[in-house]
Amino acid sequence: MVGGGPNGLAALTLAAAGVRVRVIEAADALGGGTRSSELALPGLIHDECSGMHPLAPCSPFAQRFDLAGAGLTWRWASAEFSHPLDGGRGAIAVRSVTETAAGLGDGGRSWQRTFGPLAEHFAAISQEFLRPVLHLPHHPLLLARFGVPAGLPATLTARRFRTPGARALFAGAAAHALRPLDTLVSSAIGVALTAAAHAFGRPVAEGGSAAIRDAIPHRAAEYGVRFETGRRVTALDELSWADLIMSDTSPAAAARIAGERMPHRVRRAYTRYRHGPGAFKVDFAVEDGVPWAHGPSRAAGTVHLGADLAEMAAAERDAAAGRMPERPFVLVGQQYLADETRSTGNVHPLYAYAHVPAGYTGDATEAITARIEHFAPGFRDRILATSARSTTELSRHNENYVAGAHGMCGYNAARRALARLRGAVPGPRGRPRAVTAGGGGLPFARPASRRAHRRSCCRRQAPRTPQTRSPHFGTRPPSPPDGLHP
């Protein structure tokens, strides 16, 4: 597995099925977006990218491998997410759909009707949309109930909620996709994240998202997975000893590694892949927290900032078109409300990023600060230190964030909903020599993994358990260089 981000670490599923796995990561540390560090001041723990994990509690991966038993502890804030508006008004989502709807006034009835059934059955629904698009649904009616609002533009779905607060609350969740809110399927992320928040909340990892990175290798080592960091793979020939090579990288990086051995049509698709807008991230050290004018937002783990639906739609449209929004959409993470171990006394780490054009070279620190100050007067006076990362710095820190893009969809979402990129480099007797496993926002780790398992040149053995691991199986190509053999 080339790449040790979350998708690469999920190669544990192959190891559990009896495949001998080695994960090779170019950076000095595993984890990709699931890393945490002291960025603003010593002692304050900031998540470097992935901060909130609404789909984690229902993840088959987390449940199957008991990540809690490997040291991962989830923590929840008292409210899941909020959206402050001008004049101290706003809206907030808590775990209960009914309680949330009660606070949305005239928009509450539509909220209850939309998210009540989805939250009630979200465990089953999530298992459908986390699978490949082309599959026989186990719960077709539930999937259809999710698919109807998910397939609409977010601006259209938001308008079914009658009040400005309810509309902004949904639009803020939908904006996580980093794509224009008036395009088809732009509701999907918002519907999924909102239903997940009502069903399981928006937990954070105690001690920072790096705890996820630490728990998975801990489990993987029990199944014999080996890890190698600080090694950059530039060509498939460097891994001639492997039966199968999987790539947890951006599409362009996968194409570079495969070189001329990748079929032309697949290579063309990978090199033409268009990433979505970028992010400009600022981490603050804040004394006594954020003084939100909308009081309930002081208890929310995530706060979305935009004056209203129209302003957010305009900001996302500008970012996608390559224009820096005058008032960008800003997401604020208050993970310390759920996990006090990240703070030092009354000084807390605040996580914030704005959606900006891909490759934006300007400094958005003031724009982000001004947006928070607008909804939380006095915020500037509480800032003790800041640490900013531009799109270029994000990309340098994690090469899968091409031009600062780390969104879930990008420009290709509607097409990929019907035909996701897949590719294999042929090997002996037509069997795949290399396949793409994910990375760069490509959501096909699971089908690629099953194909890898099914077609691997290795002979299959009985599934491994941590207690019964086989040191050898099947015939193998020439051994790897010294020190690299599992």
Side-chain angles (χ1 to χ4, degrees), residues 208-484:
S209 292
I212 303 171
R213 174 207 56 195
D214 296 338
I216 297 177
H218 178 82
R219 274 286 178 259
E222 297 176 357
Y223 287 88
V225 179
R226 301 299 179 89
F227 299 93
E228 183 179 356
T229 58
R231 179 187 176 193
R232 181 178 299 279
V233 175
T234 59
L236 293 182
D237 290 342
E238 299 174 25
L239 307 174
S240 59
W241 48 269
D243 296 316
L244 182 76
I245 303 166
M246 303 181 74
S247 172
D248 174 24
T249 67
S250 68
R256 285 196 303 270
I257 292 171
E260 296 302 320
R261 297 171 64 180
M262 178 175 281
H264 176 70
R265 63 177 182 81
V266 177
R267 181 179 181 82
R268 182 175 59 183
Y270 277 35
T271 55
R272 289 183 176 181
Y273 181 87
R274 296 180 63 206
H275 293 268
F280 189 105
K281 185 171 182 285
V282 182
D283 290 282
F284 298 90
V286 181
E287 190 172 22
D288 294 327
V290 182
W292 300 109
H294 175 240
S297 291
R298 301 181 185 186
T302 305
V303 183
H304 302 134
L305 301 183
D308 53 29
L309 172 61
E311 181 180 282
M312 284 185 284
E316 295 301 278
R317 188 165 51 248
D318 283 347
R323 300 184 296 269
M324 180 62 192
E326 181 180 353
R327 291 183 288 275
F329 172 81
V330 173
L331 182 146
V332 179
Q334 302 183 126
Q335 294 95 315
Y336 65 88
L337 294 175
D339 178 16
E340 61 183 17
T341 68
R342 302 177 183 224
S343 302
T344 300
N346 67 337
V347 179
H348 307 292
L350 192 73
Y351 161 114
Y353 67 80
H355 293 176
V356 300
Y360 177 66
T361 58
D363 187 347
T365 303
E366 173 55 29
I368 293 172
T369 304
R371 294 305 284 158
I372 300 175
E373 176 74 22
H374 178 82
F375 295 102
F379 169 69
R380 291 181 187 275
D381 298 333
R382 301 191 180 194
I383 299 173
L384 300 181
T386 62
S387 174
R389 279 184 178 169
S390 66
T391 59
T392 301
E393 290 165 332
L394 285 172
S395 183
R396 186 184 303 119
H397 187 68
N398 187 328
E399 294 179 30
N400 277 358
Y401 302 154
V402 178
H406 68 280
M408 301 180 183
C409 293
Y411 296 112
N412 309 266
R415 293 196 303 275
R416 281 173 29 226
L418 298 176
R420 292 173 176 170
L421 286 174
R422 293 188 182 90
V425 175
R429 296 178 297 281
R431 292 173 176 170
R433 179 81 170 89
V435 298
T436 306
L442 299 179
F444 50 81
R446 293 185 64 179
S449 297
R450 281 197 293 273
R451 186 178 298 110
H453 182 203
R454 196 164 55 238
R455 300 181 181 176
S456 173
C457 298
C458 298
R459 297 189 190 127
R460 291 190 57 184
Q461 286 195 336
R464 297 187 195 180
T465 66
Q467 292 75 30
T468 59
R469 295 197 299 269
S470 171
H472 307 286
F473 46 83
T475 59
R476 296 183 60 82
S479 298
D482 292 342
L484 293 182

Side-chain angles (χ1 to χ4, degrees), residues 33-36 46-57 74-77 79-82 176 193 196-197 200-206 208-210 212 281 300-304 330-338 342 349-353 406 408:
T34 56
R35 288 183 279 186
S36 306
H46 297 265
D47 292 325
E48 297 189 12
C49 179
S50 176
M52 286 63 69
H53 308 276
L55 296 178
W74 297 114
R75 297 295 183 194
W76 287 263
E80 309 307 331
F81 62 98
S82 73
H176 278 256
L193 294 184
F200 300 109
R202 280 193 175 187
V204 303
E206 183 178 285
S209 292
I212 303 171
K281 185 171 182 285
T302 305
V303 183
H304 302 134
V330 173
L331 182 146
V332 179
Q334 302 183 126
Q335 294 95 315
Y336 65 88
L337 294 175
R342 302 177 183 224
L350 192 73
Y351 161 114
Y353 67 80
H406 68 280
M408 301 180 183

